[in-house]
């Protein structure tokens, strides 16, 4: 979890609701009263509160104060129309562009972490203004995981590769700034990793990963994007030829 700092998120980072508005809505436009940004924001808040499953999320949304709901709708450019139903929450979440949703959440988490680092460097007195790039993230860790209980249409388990960013001296503050599904064999992770790394500003960052990612193409990409890397080399790797 990203530590809380005494800097309003809206002052130093793009607002999450604004970012969610950029996620395409797969629902039919007919009779759509609740903007996708509002529904996704409520679902995200319920998930952070520990709700699991659409029934639990619906129950949590039912307890959100009317004034908060009205404010969410107005900020999203819509008239207040009450709270979304369980079916609306389900349709908005399942029909939304999953890749775009991953991207905007990663952006928001990265911006919050950057603000936290800036505030820490400033002695907790503020992040030094609205520029979220004033302080750089220092470390990016690549981590692949097979998701339990999640399978595709062919019955194969879902395997995700995540890029976690954190201050080098505080790995507990790591947040997922980008992630992608690894299709096919796990050996496809290095290619997925290069696609992920191209989504992140690597300037002065240090990238770490398992030995699977110790490949020339990945190292060259990090170097080209002004980053650094620490990658393990196993004993079975052939030594480079000496001229």
């Amino acid at each position: 979890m990203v530590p809380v700092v005494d800097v309003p998120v809206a002052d130093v980072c793009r607002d999450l609701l604004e970012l969610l508005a950029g996620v395409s809505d797969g629902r039919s436009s007919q009779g759509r009263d609740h903007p996708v940004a509002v529904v996704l924001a409520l679902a995200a808040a319920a998930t952070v509160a520990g709700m699991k499953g659409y029934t639990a999320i619906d129950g949590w949304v039912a307890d959100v104060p009317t004034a908060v709901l009205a404010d969410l709708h107005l900020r999203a450019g819509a008239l207040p129309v009450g709270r979304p139903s369980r079916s609306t929450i389900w349709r908005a979440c399942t029909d939304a562009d999953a890749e775009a949703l991953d991207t905007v959440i990663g952006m928001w988490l990265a911006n919050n972490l950057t603000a936290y680092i800036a505030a820490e460097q400033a002695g907790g007195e503020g992040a030094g203004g609205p520029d979220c790039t004033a302080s750089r993230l220092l470390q990016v860790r690549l981590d692949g995981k097979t998701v339990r209980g999640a399978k595709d249409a062919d019955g194969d388990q879902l395997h995700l590769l995540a890029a976690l960013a954190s201050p080098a001296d505080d790995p507990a503050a790591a947040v997922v700034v980008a992630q992608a599904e690894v299709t096919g064999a796990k050996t496809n992770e290095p290619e997925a990793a290069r696609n992920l790394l191209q989504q992140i500003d690597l300037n002065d960052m240090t990238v770490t990963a398992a030995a699977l990612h110790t490949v020339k193409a990945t190292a060259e990409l990090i170097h080209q994007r002004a980053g650094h890397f620490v990658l393990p080399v196993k004993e079975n790797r052939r030594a480079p030829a000496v001229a």
Side-chain angles (χ1 to χ4, degrees):
M1 180 178 295
V2 178
V4 177
V5 295
D6 295 328
V7 182
V9 171
D11 290 346
V12 295
C13 301
R14 294 184 62 188
D15 183 76
L16 178 59
L17 195 64
E18 178 187 347
L19 288 169
L20 290 175
V23 178
S24 60
D25 191 343
R27 296 175 296 163
S28 169
S29 59
Q30 185 175 2
R32 190 171 62 194
D33 296 324
H34 305 279
V36 66
V38 170
V39 181
L40 292 178
L42 288 169
T47 301
V48 170
M51 302 300 106
K52 297 180 180 179
Y54 293 107
T55 299
I57 292 173
D58 177 53
W60 187 90
V61 171
D63 292 330
V64 174
T66 303
V68 173
L69 288 170
D71 180 63
L72 275 175
H73 281 82
L74 291 172
R75 289 168 58 197
L79 293 175
V81 288
R83 62 193 76 245
S85 65
R86 181 186 182 281
S87 61
T88 296
I89 297 170
W90 179 84
R91 287 197 306 271
C93 291
T94 57
D95 292 345
D97 185 330
E99 185 174 343
L101 182 58
D102 263 347
T103 299
V104 300
I105 291 177
M107 289 172 58
W108 188 75
L109 289 171
N111 284 343
N112 273 277
L113 183 56
T114 307
Y116 161 65
I117 296 172
E120 286 287 297
Q121 292 179 341
E125 297 179 359
D131 183 6
C132 287
T133 62
S135 176
R136 308 214 63 80
L137 303 180
L138 301 177
Q139 181 174 337
V140 174
R141 184 171 75 251
L142 298 176
D143 187 27
K145 295 292 183 184
T146 299
V147 183
R148 293 178 59 186
K151 296 184 179 181
D152 60 20
D154 298 324
D156 298 321
Q157 281 190 289
L158 178 66
H159 188 77
L160 296 176
L161 178 66
L164 298 94
S166 71
D169 59 349
D170 190 7
V175 295
V176 176
V177 294
Q179 70 176 3
E181 180 181 355
V182 179
T183 57
K186 184 180 178 181
T187 51
N188 292 332
E189 263 196 31
E191 182 179 357
R194 290 190 289 276
N195 292 333
L196 277 185
L197 292 173
Q198 293 187 58
Q199 301 175 28
I200 305 169
D201 183 359
L202 297 179
N203 187 29
D204 275 342
M205 290 192 194
T206 299
V207 179
T208 61
L212 178 65
H213 298 279
T214 307
V215 295
K216 184 177 180 181
T218 301
E220 288 180 340
L221 172 66
I222 297 170
H223 178 69
Q224 290 166 3
R225 294 177 60 80
H228 314 281
F229 55 86
V230 177
L231 302 173
V233 179
K234 290 188 174 181
E235 292 183 359
N236 61 357
R237 180 172 289 273
R238 194 170 58 181
V242 178

